[in-house]
Amino acid sequence: NLSFLPKHILWGSPDDMARRDVNISFFLGDSILKRMRGSLIHFLQSTLYRKAILYSNTRNTALSLKDTIDNLMDANDIDGDSIVIHGELESHTKFYRAKQFTGAHNDGVLTPRVLVATSGCANAGIDCEDVYWVIRQDMPPSILDLFQEMGRAARRMDKVFGTDHYIVIFSLSSFNYLFLRAHSQIDDQTPPLILTKAEKTAIQLEALMEVLDLLVLDYGCKHAIIEQHLGQTGTGASVNPSLLGACKSACPTCLPTTAYEHVFPPLKKSGIQRLLLQEFSKMGRMLLVPPSKSSKNPEQSFPDWFKKQTDLGKNVYGFERERSPTVNEIECTILQLIATNMILLSPVKMSDESDKSVVYVSLSFSTNVATCTTDAAW
């Protein structure tokens, strides 16, 4: 006999789940330590009881992050330990390490200050009042992943606005990884959830594009967008219209210091049109990310081609002084072009003998390119 659970018993309303007491920040980059080494050292040295959680998409990245954090803490005489939770661990090991981190279990040996985890392993159920910082290295797979990770911070009754942070450090390569992962699904064989490869790919791609829009397009307050998304996703959920107003200072688009433009510099419509329609249209397809050093693929990548264009800083970015855009600025622009459907992506297997695939970029001949209709992106 089946019975349906009451409304919101598993999914709270967006009003109840809003987390505007957590400051959201987005940065382009491929390393937590490159971006915020000094800030992380200062945070861990400030008080012994404050903790942080670091998320990544892969086990290898999580293990590498743990080693890096261990070395960082040892080199700076920071008390405490780091622990790691990833998908290949046994369930009882994950549970034990989660209890160690939250303080529910004290073995008298470790003093966990930093938890390093992969997506889905510790982004829900970690309830620890001592977590002030949550940092993600890699693009989140979905807005729901992002929201659950953000919810690990600010779980104290006496929290003070401005002390808790959720920081996302993502890159074009991390988007490339998730795009290929979405296309590498297999058919489900076991009930109750039987989805075809095509269905699973479509679901993951939709989630990926939603989180890409959130990160790289300036459609307004990030908190409001997340709350609206929860209202559309949660069964029977309703959004309090008052929550959809700007958070004023807890996300990049609402900060008065134009923090958003420091990450995503404004682009000139005419420069983008000329670059795509007159120059890129002659090139055919290119790789989305540069090939690895060990790869034998001689093809040019879109970022490498992009940065070789003449007068790029003046024509596309409108820089007043003569300078070329940075690698991060170019990656930001490419992600915005993907989000606004101005360029198309397609996965292609490298060979019949290899399971590896690459992502190619081609020009979208939609009206978006000719008119730049998505004004919020520019």
Side-chain angles (χ1 to χ4, degrees):
N1 294 326
L2 298 177
S3 59
F4 291 97
L5 295 174
K7 180 179 178 182
H8 301 323
I9 191 86
L10 296 177
W11 186 281
S13 72
D15 299 9
D16 297 332
M17 297 173 73
R19 301 309 305 267
R20 295 192 174 193
D21 45 4
V22 179
N23 288 270
I24 305 174
S25 301
F26 302 146
F27 299 103
L28 257 288
D30 56 6
S31 170
I32 289 175
L33 271 298
K34 286 181 183 178
R35 167 57 66 172
M36 49 189 312
R37 179 188 183 91
S39 299
L40 192 56
I41 291 172
H42 177 75
F43 169 78
L44 292 172
Q45 287 178 334
S46 60
T47 54
L48 181 60
Y49 68 86
R50 290 191 176 189
K51 299 181 179 182
I53 302 178
L54 312 183
Y55 289 104
S56 68
N57 286 336
T58 68
R59 179 182 67 91
N60 287 342
T61 302
L63 293 174
S64 176
L65 271 175
K66 185 192 182 307
D67 290 341
T68 302
I69 291 299
D70 288 341
N71 293 334
L72 182 77
M73 295 174 73
D74 290 342
N76 292 276
D77 297 321
I78 297 172
D79 294 329
D81 305 281
S82 70
I83 56 177
V84 63
I85 299 176
H86 57 76
E88 295 185 21
L89 295 174
E90 297 290 339
S91 297
H92 63 87
T93 303
K94 297 177 190 175
F95 184 65
Y96 178 78
R97 292 186 181 182
K99 290 178 64 178
Q100 282 183 302
F101 179 72
T102 60
H105 175 79
N106 185 354
D107 58 11
V109 178
L110 294 179
T111 306
R113 299 283 310 284
V114 179
L115 169 63
V116 183
T118 52
S119 301
C121 286
N123 59 356
I126 300 292
D127 189 354
C128 179
E129 294 184 354
D130 297 333
V131 174
Y132 284 73
W133 278 21
V134 179
I135 310 172
R136 159 167 276 282
Q137 177 174 307
D138 297 332
M139 182 167 289
S142 69
I143 291 180
L144 182 56
D145 282 286
L146 181 152
F147 174 75
Q148 289 179 331
E149 292 167 4
M150 181 174 65
R152 300 314 97 205
R155 303 187 73 86
R156 305 173 305 283
M157 295 298 294
D158 59 345
K159 56 183 172 287
V160 177
F161 180 80
T163 60
D164 293 81
H165 298 269
Y166 178 62
I167 303 162
V168 181
I169 301 171
F170 62 100
S171 64
L172 184 62
S173 61
S174 64
F175 172 87
N176 184 80
Y177 168 80
L178 290 175
F179 185 83
L180 286 176
R181 189 174 75 173
H183 283 277
S184 64
Q185 303 302 304
I186 60 174
D187 294 339
D188 284 333
Q189 303 295 332
T190 306
L193 296 178
I194 300 180
L195 296 174
T196 66
K197 174 183 177 179
E199 290 171 331
K200 293 168 71 174
T201 295
I203 291 171
Q204 291 194 22
L205 286 179
E206 181 181 10
L208 177 59
M209 296 310 295
E210 286 173 345
V211 78
L212 177 65
D213 287 356
L214 174 71
L215 293 175
V216 307
L217 299 184
D218 188 3
Y219 284 143
C221 174
K222 303 303 182 183
H223 282 284
I225 294 171
I226 293 170
E227 290 154 14
Q228 181 65 53
H229 179 80
L230 294 175
Q232 295 169 349
T233 304
T235 303
S238 61
V239 179
N240 181 343
S242 65
L243 283 182
L244 296 181
C247 66
K248 302 193 185 324
S249 62
C251 80
T253 51
C254 293
L255 285 172
T257 56
T258 63
Y260 196 84
E261 291 187 1
H262 290 314
V263 181
F264 302 99
L267 306 176
K268 295 176 67 175
K269 292 182 180 181
S270 59
I272 287 292
Q273 290 171 331
R274 187 181 307 110
L275 184 70
L276 295 180
L277 294 175
Q278 295 182 14
E279 303 300 330
F280 183 47
S281 60
K282 305 173 186 176
M283 302 300 298
R285 70 180 191 179
M286 283 184 275
L287 294 169
L288 177 61
V289 297
S292 63
K293 294 181 179 179
S294 60
S295 173
K296 297 179 180 180
N297 193 336
E299 295 177 274
Q300 184 173 215
S301 72
F302 190 42
D304 288 338
W305 172 86
F306 199 102
K307 67 184 179 184
K308 292 177 183 176
Q309 302 310 298
T310 57
D311 295 327
L312 192 60
K314 175 183 178 182
N315 295 335
V316 172
Y317 296 93
F319 294 149
E320 294 183 0
R321 63 183 187 276
E322 292 185 7
R323 79 168 179 90
S324 299
T326 65
V327 172
N328 282 349
E329 286 170 336
I330 289 174
E331 287 200 7
C332 288
T333 302
I334 293 172
L335 288 169
Q336 289 176 319
L337 294 177
I338 295 170
T340 51
N341 297 316
M342 293 192 184
I343 55 177
L344 300 178
L345 306 180
S346 55
V348 178
K349 285 188 66 173
M350 295 179 64
S351 68
D352 293 336
E353 294 78 24
S354 174
D355 292 332
K356 293 184 178 180
S357 297
V358 293
V359 181
Y360 282 102
V361 180
S362 59
L363 182 63
S364 169
F365 286 96
S366 67
T367 55
N368 279 354
V369 179
T371 63
C372 290
T373 53
T374 311
D375 290 334
W378 316 104

